[in-house]
Amino acid sequence: GIQVEQSPPDLILQEGANSTLRCNFSDSVNNLQWFHQNPWGQLINLFYIPSGTKQNGRLSATTVATERYSLLYISSSQTTDSGVYFCAVTSPLSGAGSYQLTFGKGTKLSVIP
Amino acid sequence: DGGITQSPKYLFRKEGQNVTLSCEQNLNHDAMYWYRQDPGQGLRLIYYSQIVNDFQKGDIAEGYSVSREKKESFPLTVTSAQKNPTAFYLCASSRTAFNEKLFFGSGTQLSVL
């Protein structure tokens, strides 16, 4: 099946710093999503981004489907950005109209004051 | 507010006992999912349902059962056959299965007494 690799696995930032998280995938995908899991376990959908670039406040994401990667940019990081960031890709399964959703293992971000 | 409600937040299971985790959504989504997350790990799919009265096994269905009698509800039963049930359980939904934006509930932490 499709492989999804996220890097780095762990990241420690000083508050105010910028960062880039990467998601590589091994095959063609229909869609890609980025999630943030806060320290209490809640997963929030940040971006639904099969291709191109999207921005939401201090966060932006770019997916280059032809080169099989996506980047999540966090600017001016805040302590509330701490948590785990997951990417998940949708790829077709054999059989008409069937899909699978595969998660990466996540990047754990710690923002220190 | 539209969203996904999981209950209880914390649950304890005795040996040989079945327990049921509740998941309700008011997003009018057809597809619903259950994921298991172990400490420091990614998400693994237990069961999913694409439509009412239909559900399919995911990657780790053994020891679990589900029902989908109503569009809004997708309860998960952890049976006594699941020998290692301690984990964080997340319910999710999307408009259609796997190929649309995914939304998560706040999770249930299940522990064994």
Side-chain angles (χ1 to χ4, degrees), chain A residues 4-75:
Chain A
V4 180
E5 294 186 2
Q6 292 187 242
S7 60
D10 295 278
L11 184 60
I12 300 175
L13 292 178
Q14 198 79 38
E15 196 169 23
N18 303 330
S19 64
T20 301
L21 282 57
R22 187 175 182 102
C23 174
N24 291 336
F25 39 96
S26 61
D27 208 340
S28 300
V29 299
N30 293 68
N31 286 302
L32 186 142
Q33 303 181 59
W34 282 99
F35 298 89
H36 173 224
Q37 186 170 37
N38 67 23
W40 297 272
Q42 175 75 58
L43 271 144
I44 302 297
N45 194 308
L46 298 174
F47 293 102
Y48 177 82
I49 183 168
S51 63
T53 297
K54 289 187 177 180
Q55 180 145 13
N56 184 3
R58 295 181 296 104
L59 275 60
S60 65
T62 295
T63 297
V64 185
T66 53
E67 298 188 19
R68 300 181 182 170
Y69 73 89
S70 182
L71 302 174
L72 178 69
Y73 305 95
I74 304 174
S75 64

Side-chain angles (χ1 to χ4, degrees), chain A residues 31 33 37 45 48 90, chain B residues 37 98-102 106:
Chain A
N31 286 302
Q33 303 181 59
Q37 186 170 37
N45 194 308
Y48 177 82
T90 299
Chain B
Q37 187 177 31
F98 296 127
N99 206 15
E100 302 240 10
K101 191 172 181 178
L102 192 66
S106 56

